[in-house]
Amino acid sequence: WVTLHGFSLNVNTDMRYFEYIIPCGIKDKQVTSLKRELERELTPEEMEELKAKIRKHFADVFQAELIYK
């Protein structure tokens, strides 16, 4: 009775690979990316800002202290 879940955020991902799988077994939905939704790639600076925001909000939501090694 153990389950594992992950977190994934497609940013500048080549989404063609997802045409060959059914993510999470959900057949009638598509997977997307920020690149597809914004119609442009994120710059390296935007990517760093995004990572910082995700870390902050993850820590806030889960009341966690993130440790970097």
Side-chain angles (χ1 to χ4, degrees), residues 9-20:
L9 178 62
N10 295 312
V11 181
N12 293 331
T13 310
D14 182 351
M15 301 307 294
R16 290 178 294 171
Y17 298 108
F18 286 89
E19 294 173 9
Y20 301 102

Side-chain angles (χ1 to χ4, degrees), residues 6-68:
F7 171 79
S8 174
L9 178 62
N10 295 312
V11 181
N12 293 331
T13 310
D14 182 351
M15 301 307 294
R16 290 178 294 171
Y17 298 108
F18 286 89
E19 294 173 9
Y20 301 102
I21 63 172
I22 302 171
C24 301
I26 304 171
K27 296 179 182 180
D28 62 336
K29 302 293 179 198
Q30 292 182 326
V31 176
T32 193
S33 66
L34 286 178
K35 176 181 174 180
R36 184 181 283 174
E37 297 302 318
L38 297 174
E39 298 180 342
R40 67 175 181 83
E41 285 195 5
L42 266 66
T43 65
E45 295 81 15
E46 290 173 316
M47 185 71 86
E48 289 306 313
E49 181 181 354
L50 175 63
K51 287 191 269 185
K53 287 181 178 182
I54 289 171
R55 287 190 295 264
K56 180 200 178 306
H57 292 293
F58 182 94
D60 290 348
V61 167
F62 292 101
Q63 299 176 356
E65 177 185 356
L66 302 181
I67 300 171
Y68 304 96

